[in-house]
Amino acid sequence: MKILQYLTTTSAIAAGIAIAALAAAAATTVNPQPQATFAQPIVVIAGPSTPLSQTAPAVTPVAATFSAAIAAPRRDPILFNNGKPANGATWFGATLGDGKNTGSGWPKTSDMQYMVDLGVKAIRLPIAPQYCLNADGTLNTWVVNTLAADIKFNMSRNVSTVLDAHTYLPFTDPAVASFWSLFAPAIEKAIGGATPLFGIELTNEPGKSSKDLNLWTEPLRKTIKAIRIAGYKGYIFAGAGDWNNMTFLPSALVEVERTGGITAMDPLNLTIYTGHDYWNKDSNLGKTRNDQGEAVDGNINIAKRYDPALRVARRIGAKVVMSEIGGGISPDGPLPAFNGIGKNGKQLQEEYFTYAKANQDVLIGTWFWMAGKTSVGYRHKIEAGNPHTRSLQTFWKSS
């Protein structure tokens, strides 16, 4: 979503954060809960971290680009959201806060209760990394504890949570790996350990409009490797270029395949690939494929639009989440077709619901934009009682 100021972080700052913060992480108290357990064993990182299963599988070689410290056999992972469709919405607001007890915008458990009451099965929480760390690069424990309380609340209701670093940084920026190498293990510890009801989204729309896969494939692999070495065992969500557009994802997944496949990208096979899409259309072509237009492109064929990504994902054994989608119905009702040509927003939405349900084997979740801190009249506002939200509730509750 291109509504936030681009967050920049220099390599020097990132390096300083990595050195200072990793040293302090061991001393951080985040009120951990008892270790979460999965229904079956999960592959874990070799090292000092406590395994999720007492039965350790034999280690077999993986791609040579990874060190032996994270080598693991190919295994089917525990399915995200316990294998159930992870359909839901984004709750937006934490990127506006300063990480203090009085910071604006940070979600409370009452906000999560509001979302759960709407019927969501998954909640995406965008966060601003600079508010998650102190000036010296150490963890902001108030942020860790606040987010952990929200995540555990959702877990207790069998609702998944994904923390999204809502930046536009490419994976070539060392700040992506350094931030998550510190923050992800701390959050995982705070919620009681790795669980299929939690994940991290590395960056919102990596590299903005760039379609250069040289800035994606190998840098993403190195980023995941660093986070795994740091001790994070859970799910990772990763988008690609062109504003993380779902129509660009097939090219990125082909690169995953060409460079060794899904376990070469993540030996734990717990990385899920993301895409964004908006159906809006505007006479200003610069707003097309954004969320700006007050009409939808009535010529969209949902199956033709998304089949290419899902086809490659099936071939390589990857899973996909539509981590941002908008259009269709607004708080004022269905959006009209642009210039009256083709399907209106209600028809597009119904077509998408049918498509998503038919492809849940690989399209494991859809997260609509957005609930939280936004004006009542905002085109994508998710709020109890408005037509947009009522239409989404039929999807959430039937999936």
Side-chain angles (χ1 to χ4, degrees):
M1 185 66 176
K2 299 180 280 297
I3 66 171
L4 300 179
Q5 182 179 4
Y6 176 62
L7 304 176
T8 58
T9 310
T10 65
S11 299
I13 293 175
I17 289 174
I19 294 170
L22 289 173
T28 301
T29 300
V30 289
N31 301 324
Q33 299 297 311
Q35 182 77 11
T37 57
F38 289 116
Q40 63 188 66
I42 187 171
V43 177
V44 298
I45 301 170
S49 300
T50 302
L52 297 178
S53 169
Q54 298 302 314
T55 303
V59 175
T60 58
V62 295
T65 53
F66 288 88
S67 69
I70 58 169
R74 179 165 181 166
R75 292 281 303 275
D76 289 332
I78 307 305
L79 298 178
F80 183 72
N81 204 42
N82 291 318
K84 300 176 181 178
N87 297 317
T90 295
W91 189 97
F92 180 82
T95 57
L96 308 174
D98 62 1
K100 308 298 184 185
N101 291 334
T102 58
S104 63
W106 288 90
K108 305 176 181 65
T109 54
S110 58
D111 296 310
M112 299 299 96
Q113 180 69 66
Y114 185 84
M115 296 295 288
V116 171
D117 288 345
L118 291 178
V120 299
K121 305 302 190 299
I123 301 172
R124 180 186 187 228
L125 288 180
I127 60 175
Q130 76 267 31
Y131 297 141
C132 299
L133 305 175
N134 299 315
D136 62 357
T138 57
L139 284 168
N140 184 324
T141 56
W142 181 86
V143 167
V144 171
N145 288 324
T146 297
L147 292 175
D150 295 331
I151 296 163
K152 288 189 288 185
F153 178 89
N154 294 339
M155 288 170 58
S156 71
R157 283 133 179 95
N158 292 314
V159 170
S160 297
T161 310
V162 174
L163 295 183
D164 152 45
H166 208 74
T167 73
Y168 308 94
L169 297 179
F171 293 113
T172 50
D173 193 314
V176 179
S178 63
F179 169 70
W180 283 119
S181 293
L182 172 63
F183 201 71
I187 284 288
E188 190 168 68
K189 179 181 178 183
I191 64 174
T195 166
L197 295 176
F198 174 70
I200 60 172
E201 188 174 355
L202 300 179
T203 177
N204 168 49
E205 291 169 341
K208 289 191 170 183
S209 62
S210 173
K211 297 182 182 181
D212 185 356
L213 287 168
N214 291 321
L215 301 178
W216 188 79
T217 315
E218 189 58 30
L220 173 59
R221 196 186 328 274
K222 291 179 180 178
T223 298
I224 293 172
K225 176 182 177 180
I227 295 167
R228 295 302 187 202
I229 288 175
Y232 177 69
K233 307 180 189 70
Y235 274 94
I236 292 173
F237 292 79
D242 189 24
W243 301 105
N244 198 10
N245 199 278
M246 185 63 88
T247 60
F248 183 73
L249 185 59
S251 299
L253 292 178
V254 166
E255 280 298 288
V256 172
E257 180 181 39
R258 186 187 66 81
T259 56
I262 55 176
T263 52
M265 183 63 79
D266 177 6
L268 300 191
N269 194 13
L270 294 175
T271 292
I272 295 170
Y273 299 91
T274 68
H276 292 179
D277 200 22
Y278 290 87
W279 302 328
N280 305 88
K281 189 170 183 177
D282 193 273
S283 57
N284 178 351
L285 294 180
K287 295 181 178 181
T288 300
R289 284 171 46 179
N290 198 347
D291 72 324
Q292 305 288 334
E294 296 181 359
V296 295
D297 182 351
N299 294 317
I300 290 174
N301 181 300
I302 294 294
K304 288 184 178 179
R305 196 171 179 92
Y306 305 132
D307 271 352
L310 301 194
R311 189 178 301 118
V312 181
R314 281 193 181 93
R315 186 173 73 228
I316 69 175
K319 302 296 183 183
V320 175
V321 160
M322 184 79 79
S323 62
E324 265 185 39
I325 189 168
I329 297 177
S330 78
D332 297 323
L335 298 181
F338 185 72
N339 288 336
I341 299 172
K343 292 165 281 193
N344 68 15
K346 183 175 186 294
Q347 292 170 301
L348 281 177
Q349 191 179 80
E350 290 174 349
E351 186 178 331
Y352 180 78
F353 290 166
T354 299
Y355 179 84
K357 290 177 182 178
N359 289 277
Q360 289 176 165
D361 62 308
V362 63
L363 182 62
I364 66 168
T366 298
W367 306 334
F368 282 85
W369 186 268
M370 73 177 180
K373 308 296 182 181
T374 185
S375 63
V376 173
Y378 177 56
R379 189 171 300 113
H380 304 292
K381 174 71 172 179
I382 292 173
E383 184 175 50
N386 75 42
H388 174 43
T389 305
R390 285 199 299 269
S391 69
L392 298 179
Q393 287 176 302
T394 64
F395 176 58
W396 296 331
K397 293 179 179 180
S398 65
S399 59

